[in-house]
Amino acid sequence: MSFLSIEHVIKDYEEYRALHGISLSIERGEFVCFLGPSGCGKTTLLNIVAGLHFPEQGKVCCLDEDITYLSPAKRKFGIVFQNYALFPNLTVADNITYGLRGKEWSKARRNERVDELLTLIGLPHIAFRYPVELSGGQQQRVALARAIANNPRLLLLDEPLSALDAKVRVTLRDELKVLQRKLGITVIMVTHDQEEAMALADRIVVMNEGRIEQVGTPESLYLKPSNRFVGEFIGSMNMLTIPQWAQGQTIGVRYEQVLVRPATEEVLVLPYTLVVRIVAWHLMGAFYRVELLMSDQSTQLYADIPYQHFLDQKLAEHSLVAITIAPESWCVFP
Ligand code: ADP
Ligand code: MG
């Protein structure tokens, strides 16, 4: 039995179908990312799991219980949204303890919990500050502390890092992963950022126009995308149709799988080797991205070549070179 199972969920906003029959299982302790372009239905699906929306059809089960129509509070899930959503009129401590009610939460126990959580998020001295006195990254840490204060059985995060500047985003991303591992908590995070999903997720659910395109580990999605959309959304891919290769079907090839060499006679007789022209190149940091044009004068492709290797080859702009693309690196899309 899975920890969470989403079964054939359909969601309409009046005439518009936002989710077309989504099914997905999530195991306890997993970090799952819903990844896809803006408007593909990620937030809608997360909100259905949270109990903030109800589906037209289908159901959501947690362990063996059907929770499709259960109130959000009774689900015992924690939620963090993109826009901090802390109460501006409450201190950090009051924000964190907002949901800690009932007899198991005496005042002393609540204060203790605030200290525990502030230590956990690396901000031990801010209990009596107000949200406006905190940076974006600090506010999001507090939102996270509030979401996990009552030991939720599932943590739901909707683009929690998107509003932060690039450096803070990466720091907090790494902290989030460490925290999740430490607590062993099950997490579903919505993001449109493939790098973020790759860095965090055990499994990524790639969504597009209200449907799931593919579910898999970051490695499997990168190496074996099941269709063009996934191939192009996760990393970059050349799409090539070469009559004598793969019976003329379109093949997807990662930029780093295109081997570029001088067009010598010995190289040109090798299988899966073509002559192309160098159009331009750009330094991308650790590698050069080289733009190439095939002999049909219309098919463009890219090759990523490690920095030193590129310099050693002494390639000249507009010159002809040989490329080899081994069939092991092809993704064939019918
Ligand atoms: P994402 O989070 O992937 O960006 P959403 O789940 O927010 O996408 O939205 C999916 C689609 O449903 C979008 O086309 C959006 O415009 C539409 N939508 C979302 N919420 C509503 C709403 N309350 N009323 C009408 N349409 C909505
Ligand atoms: Mg969204």
Side-chain angles (χ1 to χ4, degrees):
M1 181 184 34
S2 296
F3 174 70
L4 190 83
S5 68
I6 298 168
E7 296 169 27
H8 311 293
V9 161
I10 291 176
K11 174 67 189 173
D12 295 332
Y13 294 112
E14 297 178 4
E15 305 292 83
Y16 181 75
R17 179 145 293 182
L19 298 175
H20 297 258
I22 299 280
S23 295
L24 177 71
S25 294
I26 292 173
E27 304 307 321
R28 198 193 290 276
E30 261 195 309
F31 198 128
V32 171
C33 282
F34 294 170
L35 173 69
S38 175
C40 73
K42 306 178 296 291
T43 295
T44 301
L45 185 58
L46 195 81
N47 286 346
I48 286 173
V49 173
L52 301 170
H53 287 338
F54 300 135
E56 263 57 56
Q57 286 179 44
K59 61 180 182 173
V60 181
C61 297
C62 187
L63 299 170
D64 248 352
E65 187 191 5
D66 184 341
I67 60 165
T68 317
Y69 300 100
L70 192 69
S71 76
K74 288 195 179 140
R75 294 177 191 223
K76 297 190 150 209
F77 297 166
I79 309 180
V80 177
F81 299 103
Q82 177 177 347
N83 49 349
Y84 325 131
L86 296 175
F87 303 113
N89 54 324
L90 298 183
T91 62
V92 165
D94 289 341
N95 262 286
I96 291 176
T97 55
Y98 186 78
L100 305 183
R101 305 268 164 74
K103 54 182 178 311
E104 75 272 31
W105 292 106
S106 66
K107 190 149 198 285
R109 179 68 195 108
R110 281 217 302 267
N111 290 339
E112 206 176 272
R113 186 68 180 139
V114 168
D115 288 342
E116 270 168 35
L117 288 162
L118 289 179
T119 304
L120 193 65
I121 59 166
L123 296 171
H125 305 298
I126 63 159
F128 301 105
R129 290 215 219 149
Y130 285 88
V132 67
E133 301 171 296
L134 305 177
S135 70
Q138 289 173 329
Q139 288 186 51
Q140 224 31 351
R141 285 191 184 88
V142 173
L144 192 62
R146 181 175 65 181
I148 61 177
N150 208 0
N151 297 313
R153 44 184 190 160
L154 175 62
L155 182 60
L156 303 174
L157 309 171
D158 193 351
E159 308 253 8
L161 308 174
S162 301
L164 305 170
D165 63 61
K167 229 177 180 144
V168 181
R169 194 155 70 221
V170 172
T171 313
L172 204 50
R173 179 179 92 190
D174 296 343
E175 288 177 21
L176 184 61
K177 181 85 184 180
V178 171
L179 192 70
Q180 186 261 344
R181 286 285 180 261
K182 191 162 158 185
L183 301 176
I185 190 171
T186 313
V187 175
I188 303 177
M189 173 166 143
V190 163
T191 179
H192 64 272
D193 180 340
Q194 54 109 359
E195 197 184 304
E196 201 167 283
M198 301 276 277
L200 284 169
D202 297 313
R203 280 193 307 151
I204 299 175
V205 178
V206 182
M207 295 178 64
N208 182 31
E209 296 182 349
R211 293 187 170 84
I212 292 180
E213 294 280 356
Q214 194 175 355
V215 181
T217 62
E219 290 78 8
S220 69
L221 295 180
Y222 189 80
L223 297 174
K224 288 272 165 255
S226 60
N227 58 50
R228 244 180 120 124
F229 179 85
V230 176
E232 291 179 315
F233 198 79
I234 304 228
S236 317
M237 211 168 218
N238 293 302
M239 292 296 165
L240 304 173
T241 312
I242 297 168
Q244 2 14 333
W245 297 8
Q247 285 102 40
Q249 296 180 95
T250 300
I251 61 170
V253 178
R254 296 290 179 199
Y255 295 179
E256 67 275 17
Q257 299 286 0
V258 178
L259 179 61
V260 178
R261 290 180 285 191
T264 62
E265 276 175 39
E266 303 85 84
V267 170
L268 288 177
V269 296
L270 296 175
Y272 304 108
T273 300
L274 301 168
V275 176
V276 298
R277 188 175 294 282
I278 294 182
V279 178
W281 57 67
H282 320 276
L283 179 61
M284 305 286 285
F287 62 91
Y288 278 89
R289 178 154 294 170
V290 183
E291 186 183 335
L292 305 164
L293 186 64
M294 301 221 322
S295 58
D296 65 5
Q297 303 301 320
S298 65
T299 309
Q300 270 191 356
L301 73 159
Y302 292 91
D304 285 350
I305 308 178
Y307 178 80
Q308 194 56 50
H309 187 65
F310 177 87
L311 295 183
D312 291 347
Q313 296 222 40
K314 300 194 169 53
L315 300 173
E317 224 164 332
H318 307 302
S319 66
L320 294 174
V321 290
I323 57 164
T324 303
I325 305 176
E328 300 80 60
S329 67
W330 299 356
C331 298
V332 181
F333 302 124

mmCIF file of all heavy atoms in Angstrom, residues 78-105:
data_model
loop_
_atom_site.group_PDB
_atom_site.id
_atom_site.type_symbol
_atom_site.label_atom_id
_atom_site.label_comp_id
_atom_site.label_asym_id
_atom_site.label_seq_id
_atom_site.Cartn_x
_atom_site.Cartn_y
_atom_site.Cartn_z
ATOM 1 N N GLY A 78 1.281 19.648 6.243
ATOM 2 C CA GLY A 78 1.818 21.011 6.357
ATOM 3 C C GLY A 78 1.939 21.620 4.965
ATOM 4 O O GLY A 78 2.211 20.901 4.015
ATOM 5 N N ILE A 79 1.714 22.926 4.870
ATOM 6 C CA ILE A 79 1.767 23.579 3.550
ATOM 7 C C ILE A 79 2.630 24.834 3.598
ATOM 8 O O ILE A 79 2.554 25.609 4.550
ATOM 9 C CB ILE A 79 0.362 24.012 3.068
ATOM 10 C CG1 ILE A 79 -0.631 22.852 3.169
ATOM 11 C CG2 ILE A 79 0.426 24.521 1.630
ATOM 12 C CD1 ILE A 79 -2.032 23.213 2.700
ATOM 13 N N VAL A 80 3.436 25.023 2.556
ATOM 14 C CA VAL A 80 4.159 26.285 2.378
ATOM 15 C C VAL A 80 3.879 26.796 0.969
ATOM 16 O O VAL A 80 4.011 26.053 -0.002
ATOM 17 C CB VAL A 80 5.686 26.108 2.552
ATOM 18 C CG1 VAL A 80 6.417 27.428 2.286
ATOM 19 C CG2 VAL A 80 6.018 25.593 3.941
ATOM 20 N N PHE A 81 3.490 28.063 0.877
ATOM 21 C CA PHE A 81 3.218 28.666 -0.432
ATOM 22 C C PHE A 81 4.397 29.523 -0.873
ATOM 23 O O PHE A 81 5.298 29.814 -0.095
ATOM 24 C CB PHE A 81 1.948 29.526 -0.368
ATOM 25 C CG PHE A 81 0.725 28.741 -0.003
ATOM 26 C CD1 PHE A 81 0.202 28.800 1.285
ATOM 27 C CD2 PHE A 81 0.108 27.936 -0.937
ATOM 28 C CE1 PHE A 81 -0.927 28.074 1.625
ATOM 29 C CE2 PHE A 81 -1.024 27.203 -0.606
ATOM 30 C CZ PHE A 81 -1.544 27.270 0.675
ATOM 31 N N GLN A 82 4.303 29.977 -2.127
ATOM 32 C CA GLN A 82 5.381 30.764 -2.712
ATOM 33 C C GLN A 82 5.578 32.092 -1.986
ATOM 34 O O GLN A 82 6.685 32.496 -1.697
ATOM 35 C CB GLN A 82 5.040 31.021 -4.188
ATOM 36 C CG GLN A 82 6.037 31.896 -4.904
ATOM 37 C CD GLN A 82 5.677 32.039 -6.376
ATOM 38 O OE1 GLN A 82 4.845 31.314 -6.907
ATOM 39 N NE2 GLN A 82 6.313 32.971 -7.031
ATOM 40 N N ASN A 83 4.458 32.766 -1.702
ATOM 41 C CA ASN A 83 4.529 34.101 -1.118
ATOM 42 C C ASN A 83 4.388 34.008 0.396
ATOM 43 O O ASN A 83 3.328 34.244 0.932
ATOM 44 C CB ASN A 83 3.443 34.995 -1.708
ATOM 45 C CG ASN A 83 2.091 34.299 -1.658
ATOM 46 O OD1 ASN A 83 2.033 33.101 -1.379
ATOM 47 N ND2 ASN A 83 1.020 35.021 -1.870
ATOM 48 N N TYR A 84 5.450 33.628 1.032
ATOM 49 C CA TYR A 84 5.602 33.486 2.485
ATOM 50 C C TYR A 84 4.329 33.285 3.307
ATOM 51 O O TYR A 84 4.216 32.345 4.068
ATOM 52 C CB TYR A 84 6.436 34.638 3.056
ATOM 53 C CG TYR A 84 7.521 35.063 2.106
ATOM 54 C CD1 TYR A 84 7.719 36.393 1.780
ATOM 55 C CD2 TYR A 84 8.323 34.108 1.494
ATOM 56 C CE1 TYR A 84 8.719 36.764 0.877
ATOM 57 C CE2 TYR A 84 9.308 34.474 0.590
ATOM 58 C CZ TYR A 84 9.501 35.790 0.284
ATOM 59 O OH TYR A 84 10.455 36.153 -0.596
ATOM 60 N N ALA A 85 3.352 34.189 3.164
ATOM 61 C CA ALA A 85 2.075 34.009 3.848
ATOM 62 C C ALA A 85 2.189 33.878 5.356
ATOM 63 O O ALA A 85 1.418 33.176 5.993
ATOM 64 C CB ALA A 85 1.319 32.788 3.271
ATOM 65 N N LEU A 86 3.182 34.565 5.946
ATOM 66 C CA LEU A 86 3.219 34.640 7.411
ATOM 67 C C LEU A 86 2.224 35.722 7.843
ATOM 68 O O LEU A 86 1.923 36.634 7.080
ATOM 69 C CB LEU A 86 4.615 35.024 7.889
ATOM 70 C CG LEU A 86 5.723 34.019 7.578
ATOM 71 C CD1 LEU A 86 7.071 34.574 8.004
ATOM 72 C CD2 LEU A 86 5.453 32.680 8.249
ATOM 73 N N PHE A 87 1.720 35.610 9.071
ATOM 74 C CA PHE A 87 0.832 36.653 9.581
ATOM 75 C C PHE A 87 1.702 37.843 9.978
ATOM 76 O O PHE A 87 2.550 37.725 10.866
ATOM 77 C CB PHE A 87 0.048 36.155 10.794
ATOM 78 C CG PHE A 87 -0.760 34.921 10.496
ATOM 79 C CD1 PHE A 87 -0.440 33.704 11.084
ATOM 80 C CD2 PHE A 87 -1.837 34.970 9.619
ATOM 81 C CE1 PHE A 87 -1.174 32.564 10.810
ATOM 82 C CE2 PHE A 87 -2.570 33.827 9.333
ATOM 83 C CZ PHE A 87 -2.237 32.629 9.930
ATOM 84 N N PRO A 88 1.498 39.010 9.326
ATOM 85 C CA PRO A 88 2.404 40.152 9.558
ATOM 86 C C PRO A 88 2.297 40.720 10.974
ATOM 87 O O PRO A 88 3.254 41.301 11.475
ATOM 88 C CB PRO A 88 1.959 41.183 8.515
ATOM 89 C CG PRO A 88 0.591 40.788 8.112
ATOM 90 C CD PRO A 88 0.470 39.310 8.319
ATOM 91 N N ASN A 89 1.135 40.528 11.599
ATOM 92 C CA ASN A 89 0.903 41.114 12.926
ATOM 93 C C ASN A 89 1.345 40.191 14.065
ATOM 94 O O ASN A 89 1.187 40.528 15.227
ATOM 95 C CB ASN A 89 -0.585 41.459 13.088
ATOM 96 C CG ASN A 89 -1.461 40.248 12.815
ATOM 97 O OD1 ASN A 89 -1.144 39.439 11.937
ATOM 98 N ND2 ASN A 89 -2.530 40.105 13.566
ATOM 99 N N LEU A 90 1.857 39.013 13.726
ATOM 100 C CA LEU A 90 2.316 38.076 14.755
ATOM 101 C C LEU A 90 3.832 37.942 14.710
ATOM 102 O O LEU A 90 4.436 38.028 13.641
ATOM 103 C CB LEU A 90 1.697 36.686 14.540
ATOM 104 C CG LEU A 90 0.174 36.564 14.611
ATOM 105 C CD1 LEU A 90 -0.235 35.094 14.441
ATOM 106 C CD2 LEU A 90 -0.365 37.116 15.931
ATOM 107 N N THR A 91 4.432 37.697 15.887
ATOM 108 C CA THR A 91 5.879 37.446 15.933
ATOM 109 C C THR A 91 6.169 36.098 15.285
ATOM 110 O O THR A 91 5.256 35.299 15.032
ATOM 111 C CB THR A 91 6.385 37.363 17.389
ATOM 112 O OG1 THR A 91 5.725 36.256 18.015
ATOM 113 C CG2 THR A 91 6.121 38.647 18.162
ATOM 114 N N VAL A 92 7.455 35.862 15.079
ATOM 115 C CA VAL A 92 7.877 34.579 14.529
ATOM 116 C C VAL A 92 7.379 33.433 15.407
ATOM 117 O O VAL A 92 6.807 32.460 14.921
ATOM 118 C CB VAL A 92 9.425 34.546 14.412
ATOM 119 C CG1 VAL A 92 9.929 33.134 14.191
ATOM 120 C CG2 VAL A 92 9.878 35.467 13.280
ATOM 121 N N ALA A 93 7.547 33.579 16.723
ATOM 122 C CA ALA A 93 7.117 32.519 17.643
ATOM 123 C C ALA A 93 5.611 32.268 17.519
ATOM 124 O O ALA A 93 5.170 31.117 17.455
ATOM 125 C CB ALA A 93 7.474 32.892 19.080
ATOM 126 N N ASP A 94 4.836 33.358 17.448
ATOM 127 C CA ASP A 94 3.381 33.192 17.351
ATOM 128 C C ASP A 94 2.966 32.627 15.993
ATOM 129 O O ASP A 94 2.000 31.870 15.898
ATOM 130 C CB ASP A 94 2.670 34.521 17.628
ATOM 131 C CG ASP A 94 2.778 34.910 19.103
ATOM 132 O OD1 ASP A 94 3.068 34.009 19.928
ATOM 133 O OD2 ASP A 94 2.604 36.100 19.422
ATOM 134 N N ASN A 95 3.706 33.017 14.971
ATOM 135 C CA ASN A 95 3.444 32.422 13.658
ATOM 136 C C ASN A 95 3.657 30.911 13.706
ATOM 137 O O ASN A 95 2.841 30.143 13.208
ATOM 138 C CB ASN A 95 4.367 33.031 12.595
ATOM 139 C CG ASN A 95 3.692 34.129 11.807
ATOM 140 O OD1 ASN A 95 2.838 33.873 10.965
ATOM 141 N ND2 ASN A 95 4.069 35.364 12.114
ATOM 142 N N ILE A 96 4.764 30.501 14.298
ATOM 143 C CA ILE A 96 5.106 29.069 14.310
ATOM 144 C C ILE A 96 4.124 28.262 15.151
ATOM 145 O O ILE A 96 3.743 27.151 14.787
ATOM 146 C CB ILE A 96 6.553 28.866 14.817
ATOM 147 C CG1 ILE A 96 7.541 29.414 13.768
ATOM 148 C CG2 ILE A 96 6.845 27.396 15.108
ATOM 149 C CD1 ILE A 96 8.987 29.358 14.184
ATOM 150 N N THR A 97 3.679 28.841 16.273
ATOM 151 C CA THR A 97 2.808 28.075 17.172
ATOM 152 C C THR A 97 1.329 28.236 16.839
ATOM 153 O O THR A 97 0.470 27.692 17.530
ATOM 154 C CB THR A 97 3.021 28.487 18.652
ATOM 155 O OG1 THR A 97 2.829 29.894 18.755
ATOM 156 C CG2 THR A 97 4.393 28.097 19.129
ATOM 157 N N TYR A 98 1.061 28.967 15.743
ATOM 158 C CA TYR A 98 -0.335 29.253 15.397
ATOM 159 C C TYR A 98 -1.212 28.001 15.354
ATOM 160 O O TYR A 98 -2.335 27.993 15.834
ATOM 161 C CB TYR A 98 -0.390 29.974 14.049
ATOM 162 C CG TYR A 98 -1.769 30.425 13.677
ATOM 163 C CD1 TYR A 98 -2.310 31.572 14.251
ATOM 164 C CD2 TYR A 98 -2.544 29.691 12.782
ATOM 165 C CE1 TYR A 98 -3.585 31.991 13.932
ATOM 166 C CE2 TYR A 98 -3.826 30.103 12.458
ATOM 167 C CZ TYR A 98 -4.341 31.249 13.033
ATOM 168 O OH TYR A 98 -5.604 31.654 12.720
ATOM 169 N N GLY A 99 -0.659 26.938 14.792
ATOM 170 C CA GLY A 99 -1.473 25.718 14.647
ATOM 171 C C GLY A 99 -1.342 24.750 15.817
ATOM 172 O O GLY A 99 -1.910 23.661 15.777
ATOM 173 N N LEU A 100 -0.580 25.115 16.851
ATOM 174 C CA LEU A 100 -0.348 24.181 17.960
ATOM 175 C C LEU A 100 -1.375 24.413 19.060
ATOM 176 O O LEU A 100 -1.186 25.228 19.955
ATOM 177 C CB LEU A 100 1.078 24.330 18.502
ATOM 178 C CG LEU A 100 2.196 24.179 17.460
ATOM 179 C CD1 LEU A 100 3.564 24.275 18.133
ATOM 180 C CD2 LEU A 100 2.068 22.878 16.690
ATOM 181 N N ARG A 101 -2.477 23.709 18.938
ATOM 182 C CA ARG A 101 -3.564 23.858 19.915
ATOM 183 C C ARG A 101 -3.746 22.522 20.634
ATOM 184 O O ARG A 101 -3.044 21.560 20.367
ATOM 185 C CB ARG A 101 -4.872 24.207 19.205
ATOM 186 C CG ARG A 101 -4.785 25.421 18.329
ATOM 187 C CD ARG A 101 -5.191 26.683 19.103
ATOM 188 N NE ARG A 101 -4.751 27.888 18.400
ATOM 189 C CZ ARG A 101 -5.302 28.370 17.309
ATOM 190 N NH1 ARG A 101 -6.361 27.782 16.805
ATOM 191 N NH2 ARG A 101 -4.841 29.453 16.715
ATOM 192 N N GLY A 102 -4.704 22.504 21.516
ATOM 193 C CA GLY A 102 -5.055 21.241 22.170
ATOM 194 C C GLY A 102 -4.238 21.016 23.423
ATOM 195 O O GLY A 102 -3.264 21.736 23.692
ATOM 196 N N LYS A 103 -4.640 19.989 24.187
ATOM 197 C CA LYS A 103 -4.052 19.835 25.519
ATOM 198 C C LYS A 103 -2.604 19.349 25.492
ATOM 199 O O LYS A 103 -1.870 19.532 26.448
ATOM 200 C CB LYS A 103 -4.935 18.945 26.414
ATOM 201 C CG LYS A 103 -5.289 17.586 25.838
ATOM 202 C CD LYS A 103 -6.208 16.848 26.819
ATOM 203 C CE LYS A 103 -6.653 15.498 26.318
ATOM 204 N NZ LYS A 103 -7.184 15.438 24.952
ATOM 205 N N GLU A 104 -2.180 18.733 24.381
ATOM 206 C CA GLU A 104 -0.783 18.301 24.350
ATOM 207 C C GLU A 104 0.175 19.478 24.146
ATOM 208 O O GLU A 104 1.382 19.317 24.251
ATOM 209 C CB GLU A 104 -0.557 17.195 23.309
ATOM 210 C CG GLU A 104 -0.546 17.626 21.865
ATOM 211 C CD GLU A 104 -1.928 17.629 21.212
ATOM 212 O OE1 GLU A 104 -2.929 17.869 21.927
ATOM 213 O OE2 GLU A 104 -1.997 17.432 19.988
ATOM 214 N N TRP A 105 -0.384 20.677 23.866
ATOM 215 C CA TRP A 105 0.471 21.832 23.659
ATOM 216 C C TRP A 105 0.319 22.848 24.796
ATOM 217 O O TRP A 105 -0.314 23.867 24.646
ATOM 218 C CB TRP A 105 0.172 22.483 22.309
ATOM 219 C CG TRP A 105 0.564 21.616 21.156
ATOM 220 C CD1 TRP A 105 -0.255 20.909 20.332
ATOM 221 C CD2 TRP A 105 1.896 21.341 20.711
ATOM 222 N NE1 TRP A 105 0.478 20.205 19.404
ATOM 223 C CE2 TRP A 105 1.797 20.455 19.617
ATOM 224 C CE3 TRP A 105 3.175 21.745 21.131
ATOM 225 C CZ2 TRP A 105 2.922 19.967 18.930
ATOM 226 C CZ3 TRP A 105 4.282 21.257 20.447
ATOM 227 C CH2 TRP A 105 4.149 20.386 19.365
#
